[in-house]
Short mmCIF file of all heavy atoms in Angstrom, two decimals:
data_model
loop_
_atom_site.label_atom_id
_atom_site.label_comp_id
_atom_site.label_asym_id
_atom_site.label_seq_id
_atom_site.Cartn_x
_atom_site.Cartn_y
_atom_site.Cartn_z
N GLN A 1 -8.47 29.81 18.35
CA GLN A 1 -8.02 29.16 17.14
C GLN A 1 -6.57 29.55 16.92
O GLN A 1 -6.20 30.68 17.11
CB GLN A 1 -8.89 29.64 15.99
CG GLN A 1 -8.58 28.99 14.70
CD GLN A 1 -9.51 29.49 13.61
OE1 GLN A 1 -10.46 30.17 13.87
NE2 GLN A 1 -9.19 29.14 12.39
N LYS A 2 -5.75 28.60 16.54
CA LYS A 2 -4.33 28.86 16.36
C LYS A 2 -3.97 28.78 14.89
O LYS A 2 -4.14 27.75 14.26
CB LYS A 2 -3.51 27.86 17.17
CG LYS A 2 -2.03 28.11 17.15
CD LYS A 2 -1.33 27.09 18.01
CE LYS A 2 0.16 27.29 17.98
NZ LYS A 2 0.86 26.29 18.74
N ASN A 3 -3.49 29.87 14.36
CA ASN A 3 -2.99 29.96 12.99
C ASN A 3 -4.00 29.59 11.92
O ASN A 3 -3.65 29.08 10.87
CB ASN A 3 -1.74 29.09 12.81
CG ASN A 3 -0.59 29.60 13.64
OD1 ASN A 3 -0.51 30.79 13.92
ND2 ASN A 3 0.30 28.71 14.03
N GLY A 4 -5.28 29.83 12.15
CA GLY A 4 -6.29 29.71 11.09
C GLY A 4 -6.50 28.32 10.56
O GLY A 4 -6.51 27.36 11.27
N ILE A 5 -6.61 28.26 9.24
CA ILE A 5 -7.01 27.03 8.56
C ILE A 5 -5.84 26.43 7.80
O ILE A 5 -5.05 27.13 7.21
CB ILE A 5 -8.14 27.35 7.56
CG1 ILE A 5 -9.29 28.03 8.31
CG2 ILE A 5 -8.62 26.13 6.84
CD1 ILE A 5 -10.25 28.68 7.39
N LYS A 6 -5.75 25.13 7.81
CA LYS A 6 -4.71 24.44 7.06
C LYS A 6 -5.40 23.46 6.12
O LYS A 6 -6.16 22.62 6.55
CB LYS A 6 -3.81 23.69 8.04
CG LYS A 6 -2.71 22.90 7.37
CD LYS A 6 -1.90 22.19 8.42
CE LYS A 6 -0.92 21.26 7.77
NZ LYS A 6 -0.27 20.42 8.76
N LEU A 7 -5.15 23.59 4.82
CA LEU A 7 -5.77 22.71 3.84
C LEU A 7 -4.96 21.44 3.69
O LEU A 7 -3.74 21.46 3.70
CB LEU A 7 -5.87 23.42 2.49
CG LEU A 7 -6.70 24.68 2.48
CD1 LEU A 7 -6.68 25.29 1.08
CD2 LEU A 7 -8.10 24.40 2.92
N LEU A 8 -5.68 20.33 3.52
CA LEU A 8 -5.02 19.04 3.37
C LEU A 8 -5.46 18.40 2.06
O LEU A 8 -6.53 17.86 1.97
CB LEU A 8 -5.42 18.12 4.53
CG LEU A 8 -5.04 18.60 5.91
CD1 LEU A 8 -5.60 17.65 6.95
CD2 LEU A 8 -3.55 18.68 6.04
N PHE A 9 -4.61 18.43 1.05
CA PHE A 9 -4.94 17.79 -0.21
C PHE A 9 -3.73 17.03 -0.77
O PHE A 9 -3.22 17.35 -1.83
CB PHE A 9 -5.44 18.81 -1.23
CG PHE A 9 -6.74 19.42 -0.84
CD1 PHE A 9 -6.83 20.76 -0.51
CD2 PHE A 9 -7.88 18.65 -0.77
CE1 PHE A 9 -8.03 21.32 -0.14
CE2 PHE A 9 -9.08 19.21 -0.40
CZ PHE A 9 -9.16 20.54 -0.08
N PRO A 10 -3.23 16.03 -0.06
CA PRO A 10 -2.05 15.31 -0.52
C PRO A 10 -2.27 14.45 -1.75
O PRO A 10 -1.32 14.03 -2.39
CB PRO A 10 -1.66 14.45 0.68
CG PRO A 10 -2.94 14.25 1.41
CD PRO A 10 -3.72 15.53 1.21
N LEU A 11 -3.52 14.18 -2.11
CA LEU A 11 -3.78 13.32 -3.26
C LEU A 11 -3.90 14.09 -4.56
O LEU A 11 -4.16 13.49 -5.61
CB LEU A 11 -5.08 12.53 -3.02
CG LEU A 11 -5.10 11.63 -1.80
CD1 LEU A 11 -6.45 10.98 -1.63
CD2 LEU A 11 -4.02 10.58 -1.91
N LEU A 12 -3.72 15.39 -4.54
CA LEU A 12 -3.94 16.22 -5.72
C LEU A 12 -3.09 15.76 -6.90
O LEU A 12 -3.58 15.65 -8.02
CB LEU A 12 -3.66 17.69 -5.39
CG LEU A 12 -3.95 18.69 -6.50
CD1 LEU A 12 -5.40 18.56 -6.95
CD2 LEU A 12 -3.66 20.09 -6.04
N ALA A 13 -1.81 15.51 -6.70
CA ALA A 13 -0.93 15.11 -7.81
C ALA A 13 -1.41 13.82 -8.46
O ALA A 13 -1.42 13.70 -9.69
CB ALA A 13 0.49 14.96 -7.31
N ALA A 14 -1.82 12.85 -7.64
CA ALA A 14 -2.30 11.58 -8.19
C ALA A 14 -3.57 11.77 -9.00
O ALA A 14 -3.73 11.18 -10.07
CB ALA A 14 -2.55 10.59 -7.05
N VAL A 15 -4.46 12.62 -8.52
CA VAL A 15 -5.72 12.85 -9.22
C VAL A 15 -5.47 13.58 -10.53
O VAL A 15 -6.05 13.25 -11.56
CB VAL A 15 -6.70 13.64 -8.32
CG1 VAL A 15 -7.93 14.04 -9.09
CG2 VAL A 15 -7.09 12.79 -7.13
N ILE A 16 -4.59 14.57 -10.51
CA ILE A 16 -4.29 15.31 -11.73
C ILE A 16 -3.71 14.38 -12.80
O ILE A 16 -4.10 14.43 -13.96
CB ILE A 16 -3.34 16.48 -11.44
CG1 ILE A 16 -4.09 17.55 -10.64
CG2 ILE A 16 -2.79 17.09 -12.72
CD1 ILE A 16 -3.21 18.65 -10.10
N SER A 17 -2.79 13.51 -12.38
CA SER A 17 -2.21 12.58 -13.35
C SER A 17 -3.27 11.61 -13.87
O SER A 17 -3.27 11.26 -15.05
CB SER A 17 -1.02 11.84 -12.75
OG SER A 17 -1.44 11.02 -11.69
N LEU A 18 -4.21 11.20 -13.01
CA LEU A 18 -5.29 10.32 -13.45
C LEU A 18 -6.16 11.02 -14.47
O LEU A 18 -6.50 10.46 -15.50
CB LEU A 18 -6.13 9.90 -12.24
CG LEU A 18 -7.41 9.10 -12.54
CD1 LEU A 18 -7.02 7.72 -13.05
CD2 LEU A 18 -8.26 8.98 -11.30
N LEU A 19 -6.50 12.28 -14.21
CA LEU A 19 -7.32 13.03 -15.15
C LEU A 19 -6.58 13.27 -16.46
O LEU A 19 -7.15 13.15 -17.54
CB LEU A 19 -7.73 14.37 -14.53
CG LEU A 19 -8.78 14.28 -13.43
CD1 LEU A 19 -8.98 15.64 -12.79
CD2 LEU A 19 -10.10 13.75 -13.96
N ALA A 20 -5.31 13.61 -16.37
CA ALA A 20 -4.53 13.88 -17.58
C ALA A 20 -4.40 12.63 -18.45
O ALA A 20 -4.48 12.70 -19.67
CB ALA A 20 -3.15 14.40 -17.21
N ALA A 21 -4.23 11.48 -17.80
CA ALA A 21 -4.10 10.24 -18.55
C ALA A 21 -5.40 9.85 -19.24
O ALA A 21 -5.39 9.25 -20.32
CB ALA A 21 -3.67 9.11 -17.62
N GLY A 22 -6.52 10.22 -18.67
CA GLY A 22 -7.81 9.83 -19.23
C GLY A 22 -8.38 10.84 -20.19
O GLY A 22 -9.43 10.61 -20.79
N CYS A 23 -7.72 11.96 -20.41
CA CYS A 23 -8.26 13.02 -21.25
C CYS A 23 -7.70 12.91 -22.66
O CYS A 23 -6.52 12.69 -22.85
CB CYS A 23 -7.91 14.39 -20.69
SG CYS A 23 -8.71 14.72 -19.14
N SER A 24 -8.56 13.13 -23.62
CA SER A 24 -8.11 13.29 -25.00
C SER A 24 -8.76 14.54 -25.54
O SER A 24 -9.74 15.03 -24.99
CB SER A 24 -8.50 12.06 -25.83
OG SER A 24 -9.90 12.03 -26.01
N GLU A 25 -8.23 15.06 -26.63
CA GLU A 25 -8.78 16.30 -27.17
C GLU A 25 -10.15 16.07 -27.77
O GLU A 25 -10.95 16.99 -27.85
CB GLU A 25 -7.81 16.87 -28.21
CG GLU A 25 -6.53 17.39 -27.59
CD GLU A 25 -5.59 17.98 -28.62
OE1 GLU A 25 -6.04 18.34 -29.72
OE2 GLU A 25 -4.40 18.07 -28.31
N GLU A 26 -10.42 14.85 -28.24
CA GLU A 26 -11.67 14.58 -28.91
C GLU A 26 -12.81 14.30 -27.94
O GLU A 26 -13.94 14.68 -28.19
CB GLU A 26 -11.51 13.38 -29.85
CG GLU A 26 -10.46 13.64 -30.93
CD GLU A 26 -10.08 12.37 -31.66
OE1 GLU A 26 -10.72 11.32 -31.43
OE2 GLU A 26 -9.15 12.43 -32.46
N GLN A 27 -12.53 13.62 -26.87
CA GLN A 27 -13.58 13.18 -25.96
C GLN A 27 -13.28 13.61 -24.54
O GLN A 27 -12.15 13.47 -24.08
CB GLN A 27 -13.67 11.66 -25.99
CG GLN A 27 -14.93 11.16 -26.59
CD GLN A 27 -14.97 9.64 -26.49
OE1 GLN A 27 -14.03 8.98 -26.09
NE2 GLN A 27 -16.09 9.09 -26.86
N PRO A 28 -14.30 14.10 -23.82
CA PRO A 28 -14.08 14.41 -22.40
C PRO A 28 -13.96 13.11 -21.61
O PRO A 28 -14.39 12.05 -22.07
CB PRO A 28 -15.34 15.18 -22.01
CG PRO A 28 -16.39 14.75 -22.98
CD PRO A 28 -15.66 14.41 -24.26
N PRO A 29 -13.38 13.18 -20.43
CA PRO A 29 -13.26 11.96 -19.61
C PRO A 29 -14.65 11.42 -19.26
O PRO A 29 -15.61 12.17 -19.18
CB PRO A 29 -12.53 12.43 -18.36
CG PRO A 29 -12.36 13.89 -18.46
CD PRO A 29 -12.82 14.34 -19.79
N SER A 30 -14.71 10.13 -19.02
CA SER A 30 -16.00 9.52 -18.68
C SER A 30 -16.46 9.98 -17.30
O SER A 30 -15.65 10.39 -16.46
CB SER A 30 -15.87 7.99 -18.69
OG SER A 30 -15.08 7.57 -17.60
N VAL A 31 -17.76 9.90 -17.09
CA VAL A 31 -18.34 10.26 -15.79
C VAL A 31 -17.73 9.40 -14.70
O VAL A 31 -17.42 9.90 -13.61
CB VAL A 31 -19.88 10.11 -15.82
CG1 VAL A 31 -20.47 10.20 -14.43
CG2 VAL A 31 -20.51 11.15 -16.73
N GLU A 32 -17.52 8.13 -14.98
CA GLU A 32 -16.96 7.22 -13.97
C GLU A 32 -15.56 7.67 -13.54
O GLU A 32 -15.23 7.65 -12.37
CB GLU A 32 -16.91 5.78 -14.51
CG GLU A 32 -18.26 5.13 -14.71
CD GLU A 32 -18.97 5.56 -16.00
OE1 GLU A 32 -18.30 6.10 -16.91
OE2 GLU A 32 -20.19 5.38 -16.08
N LYS A 33 -14.73 8.08 -14.53
CA LYS A 33 -13.38 8.55 -14.20
C LYS A 33 -13.43 9.83 -13.38
O LYS A 33 -12.68 9.99 -12.42
CB LYS A 33 -12.59 8.80 -15.48
CG LYS A 33 -11.57 7.75 -15.75
CD LYS A 33 -10.74 8.11 -16.94
CE LYS A 33 -10.04 6.84 -17.38
NZ LYS A 33 -9.36 6.91 -18.61
N LEU A 34 -14.30 10.74 -13.79
CA LEU A 34 -14.43 12.00 -13.05
C LEU A 34 -14.90 11.74 -11.62
O LEU A 34 -14.36 12.30 -10.67
CB LEU A 34 -15.40 12.94 -13.76
CG LEU A 34 -14.93 13.55 -15.08
CD1 LEU A 34 -16.04 14.39 -15.70
CD2 LEU A 34 -13.68 14.38 -14.90
N GLU A 35 -15.93 10.90 -11.48
CA GLU A 35 -16.45 10.60 -10.14
C GLU A 35 -15.39 9.93 -9.27
O GLU A 35 -15.24 10.27 -8.10
CB GLU A 35 -17.70 9.73 -10.23
CG GLU A 35 -18.93 10.51 -10.64
CD GLU A 35 -20.18 9.66 -10.73
OE1 GLU A 35 -20.11 8.41 -10.62
OE2 GLU A 35 -21.27 10.24 -10.92
N ALA A 36 -14.63 8.99 -9.84
CA ALA A 36 -13.58 8.32 -9.07
C ALA A 36 -12.53 9.32 -8.60
O ALA A 36 -12.07 9.27 -7.46
CB ALA A 36 -12.94 7.21 -9.90
N SER A 37 -12.15 10.24 -9.49
CA SER A 37 -11.16 11.25 -9.12
C SER A 37 -11.67 12.17 -8.03
O SER A 37 -10.97 12.46 -7.06
CB SER A 37 -10.78 12.08 -10.36
OG SER A 37 -10.22 11.26 -11.33
N VAL A 38 -12.91 12.64 -8.18
CA VAL A 38 -13.50 13.54 -7.18
C VAL A 38 -13.66 12.82 -5.85
O VAL A 38 -13.38 13.38 -4.79
CB VAL A 38 -14.84 14.12 -7.69
CG1 VAL A 38 -15.57 14.84 -6.58
CG2 VAL A 38 -14.59 15.05 -8.86
#
């Protein structure tokens, strides 16, 4: 094995912005939004 493990998560920024846009202090994000992000 050469140099161990390399993580690949290039979509993280897009998902975080999606979650942030769908979140409000009063209500948690919908299951559909969470599932789509995951």
Side-chain angles (χ1 to χ4, degrees):
Q1 183 179 351
K2 185 178 178 183
N3 295 332
I5 304 165
K6 178 181 172 188
L7 299 179
L8 299 175
F9 294 113
L11 300 176
L12 185 57
V15 172
I16 290 171
S17 65
L18 173 69
L19 287 173
C23 293
S24 70
E25 291 181 20
E26 299 167 7
Q27 248 183 354
S30 70
V31 168
E32 291 79 18
K33 255 185 197 171
L34 290 176
E35 284 180 352
S37 299
V38 170

